Amino acid sequence: MAVTGDETETGTSGDLTACQLQNTGSSLPQGGAETSTQGIVKSANPSQKREHRLMKNREAARECRRKKKEYVKCLENRVAVLENQNKTLIEELRSLKDIYRHKVE
DNA sequence: ATGCACCCGCGTCACCTGTA
DNA sequence: TACAGGTGACGCGGGTGCAT
């Protein structure tokens, strides 16, 4: 059979998982005694806490968008690969039908 | 040059979910 | 149960292409 000239095999090929939008789980080391997650002192005043929260969220949003963009790009690549694969298979089917027709004639 | 529509990235808020 | 992180939704400002 051999899908000619295609790097991926038929069906759900391996790199599907490469497009998964997963949590990288930034694994922040839980800080020691007085600090919360990232250096902000637990006893910080409310406005400091708010600033810190906004800053963290800002970064989180940036990262989230970056990952989403990467994910979309990955899906687009996969679409391109599958479209090529589809074309190749259609072509193969066509030539097999041709061969078969000549045999029965 | 200018007005307009469209796109993109950003910051913020609100909500959800997982974890200690 | 409080807290932190991820993400959808919203509004805003700047860049770009196009018609006038």
Side-chain angles (χ1 to χ4, degrees):
Chain A
M1 259 270 203
V3 181
T4 56
D6 246 320
E7 66 274 39
T8 55
E9 65 270 86
T10 343
T12 54
S13 70
D15 70 345
L16 228 195
T17 56
C19 288
Q20 280 171 352
L21 198 51
Q22 79 261 20
N23 287 353
T24 43
S26 39
S27 66
L28 305 166
Q30 296 294 86
E34 264 284 58
T35 58
S36 175
T37 40
Q38 268 238 320
I40 184 74
V41 182
K42 269 183 176 169
S43 56
N45 68 48
S47 93
Q48 283 175 317
K49 282 182 178 173
R50 175 182 155 78
E51 261 330 290
H52 185 256
R53 185 166 52 79
L54 288 181
M55 190 189 72
K56 298 293 286 179
N57 189 240
R58 214 159 26 232
E59 289 163 6
R62 253 198 292 267
E63 177 65 7
C64 182
R65 285 169 182 136
R66 190 193 61 75
K67 279 196 299 185
K68 189 174 181 178
K69 221 172 161 184
E70 197 176 316
Y71 172 68
V72 169
K73 198 180 290 178
C74 184
L75 286 181
E76 285 169 348
N77 285 341
R78 178 131 188 88
V79 166
V81 166
L82 290 175
E83 278 174 352
N84 276 338
Q85 207 170 312
N86 197 33
K87 268 185 206 160
T88 305
L89 288 172
I90 287 172
E91 196 48 48
E92 190 178 348
L93 177 62
R94 186 171 297 150
S95 69
L96 286 175
K97 277 181 176 174
D98 224 41
I99 292 171
Y100 176 74
R101 199 176 337 115
H102 280 103
K103 280 199 169 174
V104 276
E105 280 172 7

